[in-house]
Amino acid sequence: MYSEKEIEERLSERNIRPTAIRILVLRKMLEMNQDEAFSLLDLENRLDTIDKSTLFRTLTLFHDNLLVHSIDDGSGSIKYSLCKRGCECFGEASHVHFSCTLCHRTFCFEKIAIPRIDLPVGFSYESANFVFKGVCSVCSRSQK
Amino acid sequence: MYSEKEIEERLSERNIRPTAIRILVLRKMLEMNQDEAFSLLDLENRLDTIDKSTLFRTLTLFHDNLLVHSIDDGSGSIKYSLCKRGCECFGEASHVHFSCTLCHRTFCFEKIAIPRIDLPVGFSYESANFVFKGVCSVCSRSQK
DNA sequence: CTGTGTGCAAACACTTTGCAGGTGT
DNA sequence: ACACCTGCAAAGTGTTTGCACACAG
C-alpha cells in the first residue's frame, strides 16, 4: 500500500534518517487507523520484533521532528498519532481528542480545533491539551 | 483560621468521616493557594507526618466523594484541587487549567469554563480535561 | 468485638537511561 | 574509523495494594 520510497520521503521531509526500523514503524502507523492515537505498548504489540526502548526512542525522535503528536488522555500512558502531512502542530495536537471510558481507545477529532481562549494577563500560550471522556460511537452502538 | 468544626462540617457534608488525618489534610488544602492544584508529592512534603499511601487513600476518598477534583496536566502526576463549596463538578473540573512549563505549577482558571463542543454523532460526553501550557504570570515577570 | 483507618513495605505500570555490540558510510 | 542505531537490562517515577496493627464506637 505504501511504497518504501514514499515512506522514506516522509521521514526525510522531517530530517529523520530512514533506518529499517523507522520505516517499519512509520509504515505500521500509516496502516493503522489514522483517527486513533496509540500508546507505546499498542505499537509494541503490533511490532513485536522491535524492542520497546528502541520504539520509545523512535517515537521520541518522531515527536521531536514533528512527525507525530502526542496526547495525554489521562490513561496514564502517552498516546501518539501521526501528523497529517504538512501539519502545523508543534508536537502537541491542535485538535480535540476523545477517550472512550469503555474500550479505552483514543480518537483524534481532526476536524474540531481546540478553541481559542483568552488567558488571564501575564499567562502566555504555548500549547493545549483538550481531551473529552465518554463512550465512543462503537461502544454505544454495541451496548444497545 | 479554619475552626475544627468548620472543617469537620465540610467533610460530613460529603459523607466523609472526619478522622484526625482527614481534618489535617483538608485544613492544609484550605490553607494552600486555592487557585493552584497540587500533586500527591506536593502534599506529602507539606504534611510530612502522613504516609503517602494514607494520603493517596485520603485523596482518593475526597475525590470519590466530590470534595476535590483531579487534573491531569500532562506532567505525569495527577494534581488535586479543592472543589469550591457546592461545586457541581463530578470529580473532573469543569474549568480550564494552566500548567507552567517553567515552575511546573498548575493553576485553576475557575472563571474560565470548559467550552461546550458538539461531539460527532454517537459519542457521548462524560467529562473533559482542558489544560493549557505556557509560562505563568509569575515566571514571565521574573524573566524580564 | 467489629469495622474502619493508618503506616510500612512492596508490587505495579509505564517511562527512561546505561552500556555494549551492531550497522552503514 | 566514526557516528549513529539498536537490544537488553536495569533504574526511575508515580501510583496502588497487602498486610498487620491501632483506634473508635
Side-chain angles (χ1 to χ4, degrees):
Chain A
M1 180 152 182
Y2 292 93
S3 72
E4 188 108 351
K5 198 179 147 215
E6 219 172 329
I7 291 179
E8 287 188 26
E9 215 174 271
R10 187 110 183 224
L11 289 169
S12 306
E13 264 176 16
R14 294 300 191 179
N15 296 310
I16 298 165
R17 198 175 304 207
T19 67
I21 290 216
R22 289 168 189 173
I23 291 169
L24 223 61
V25 174
L26 178 51
R27 162 164 293 132
K28 185 58 75 177
M29 292 189 83
L30 282 164
E31 283 166 10
M32 285 161 48
N33 186 351
Q34 295 290 310
D35 298 331
E36 258 184 72
F38 298 94
S39 69
L40 206 141
L41 188 64
D42 292 332
L43 289 162
E44 201 187 341
N45 291 334
R46 285 173 171 81
L47 290 159
D48 52 341
T49 53
I50 302 179
D51 184 79
K52 72 167 179 267
S53 67
T54 302
L55 203 43
F56 169 73
R57 286 188 271 234
T58 302
L59 286 171
T60 304
L61 180 70
F62 282 9
H63 186 248
D64 289 347
N65 292 35
L66 308 181
L67 185 59
V68 302
H69 59 254
S70 64
I71 312 110
D72 186 327
D73 59 5
S75 68
S77 59
I78 300 160
K79 301 275 168 78
Y80 299 91
S81 184
L82 268 185
C83 291
K84 298 272 177 262
R85 213 154 177 177
C87 168
E88 291 295 327
C89 83
F90 289 96
E92 316 297 317
S94 54
H95 55 264
V96 162
H97 290 86
F98 184 94
S99 174
C100 179
T101 51
L102 295 179
C103 65
H104 299 108
R105 285 187 296 170
T106 295
F107 299 88
C108 300
F109 287 170
E110 298 272 357
K111 287 178 188 154
I112 308 181
I114 292 182
R116 256 197 158 291
I117 299 273
D118 286 323
L119 299 176
V121 178
F123 289 82
S124 71
Y125 174 92
E126 276 171 27
S127 67
N129 190 44
F130 194 1
V131 180
F132 285 91
K133 277 185 205 157
V135 180
C136 77
S137 55
V138 180
C139 289
S140 62
R141 210 174 306 136
S142 61
Q143 277 195 303
K144 277 181 194 166
Chain B
M1 181 152 180
Y2 293 93
S3 72
E4 189 106 349
K5 196 179 149 216
E6 218 174 329
I7 292 179
E8 285 188 29
E9 214 173 273
R10 188 110 182 225
L11 289 169
S12 306
E13 263 176 18
R14 295 299 192 179
N15 297 310
I16 298 166
R17 197 175 306 204
T19 68
I21 289 217
R22 289 168 187 172
I23 292 169
L24 222 62
V25 174
L26 178 51
R27 163 165 292 133
K28 185 57 76 176
M29 291 189 82
L30 282 163
E31 284 167 8
M32 285 161 48
N33 187 352
Q34 295 291 309
D35 298 331
E36 258 182 72
F38 298 94
S39 70
L40 206 141
L41 187 64
D42 292 332
L43 289 162
E44 201 187 341
N45 292 334
R46 286 173 170 81
L47 290 159
D48 51 341
T49 53
I50 302 179
D51 184 78
K52 73 167 180 268
S53 67
T54 302
L55 204 42
F56 169 73
R57 286 187 271 232
T58 303
L59 286 170
T60 304
L61 179 71
F62 282 9
H63 186 246
D64 290 348
N65 293 34
L66 308 182
L67 185 58
V68 302
H69 58 255
S70 64
I71 312 109
D72 186 328
D73 59 5
S75 68
S77 60
I78 300 159
K79 300 276 167 77
Y80 299 90
S81 183
L82 269 184
C83 292
K84 299 272 177 263
R85 214 153 175 176
C87 170
E88 291 296 327
C89 83
F90 289 96
E92 316 297 316
S94 54
H95 55 264
V96 163
H97 290 86
F98 185 95
S99 173
C100 179
T101 51
L102 295 180
C103 65
H104 299 108
R105 285 188 295 170
T106 295
F107 300 87
C108 300
F109 287 171
E110 299 271 357
K111 287 177 189 155
I112 308 181
I114 292 182
R116 256 197 158 291
I117 299 273
D118 286 323
L119 300 176
V121 177
F123 289 83
S124 71
Y125 174 92
E126 278 171 25
S127 66
N129 189 45
F130 194 1
V131 180
F132 285 90
K133 277 185 204 156
V135 180
C136 76
S137 57
V138 180
C139 289
S140 62
R141 209 175 306 134
S142 62
Q143 277 195 303
K144 277 184 193 164

